[in-house]
Amino acid sequence: QVYLTESGGGSVQAGGSLRLSCQASGYTYSSYSLAWFRQAPGKEREAVGCFYTDTTKTYYADSVKGRFTITHDNAKTTLYLQMNNLKPEDTGVYTCAAEPQPFCDGGYCSACLGEHDHSIWGQGTQVTVSS
């Protein structure tokens, strides 16, 4: 069983930066979808971006492209989310998620899987961006 533990949330002013970490333990499969989701107050949870361990490809939501970067440290089995030029609308609870052996149409994942396609979740960390 994979366990995920996030850290790095906090409060910043607009234009600032934060880096979130998601430490994973218990990898047992050869491939995983690793993703960051966020949920703003009163809104549905949305995918921010994702990383596939087999292809090492990353994908991002349009709202964060050019500002957020996902990286993965294999040795530390840690997924990072570097967030730059933060905006008040980036405020929310950020949670990392994992799915072993992710299934995508055609056998190749070219976008992030949805919330319901991930079975393993961290506890979440709050990010607050003030204007």
Side-chain angles (χ1 to χ4, degrees), residues 58-123:
T58 54
Y59 301 96
Y60 301 93
D62 288 342
S63 59
V64 306
K65 280 182 182 177
R67 300 188 299 121
F68 290 13
T69 303
I70 290 173
T71 55
H72 182 252
D73 186 321
N74 285 334
K76 297 180 180 179
T77 61
T78 301
L79 185 74
Y80 299 98
L81 179 65
Q82 177 67 43
M83 304 185 292
N84 298 327
N85 190 22
L86 281 160
K87 304 176 180 180
E89 53 264 42
D90 294 320
T91 294
V93 176
Y94 284 68
T95 310
C96 64
E99 177 62 19
Q101 309 285 72
F103 174 79
C104 297
D105 290 340
Y108 181 81
C109 296
S110 58
C112 294
L113 296 175
E115 172 183 3
H116 300 293
D117 296 310
H118 290 84
S119 59
I120 304 164
W121 292 83
Q123 81 283 3

Side-chain angles (χ1 to χ4, degrees), residues 1-4 22 24 27-37 50-54 79 96-104 109 112-122:
Q1 176 68 15
V2 174
Y3 296 93
L4 305 174
C22 175
Y27 277 149
T28 57
Y29 292 91
S30 59
S31 67
Y32 285 86
S33 164
L34 302 174
W36 286 101
F37 287 82
C50 61
F51 171 83
Y52 290 98
T53 61
D54 54 350
L79 185 74
C96 64
E99 177 62 19
Q101 309 285 72
F103 174 79
C104 297
C109 296
C112 294
L113 296 175
E115 172 183 3
H116 300 293
D117 296 310
H118 290 84
S119 59
I120 304 164
W121 292 83

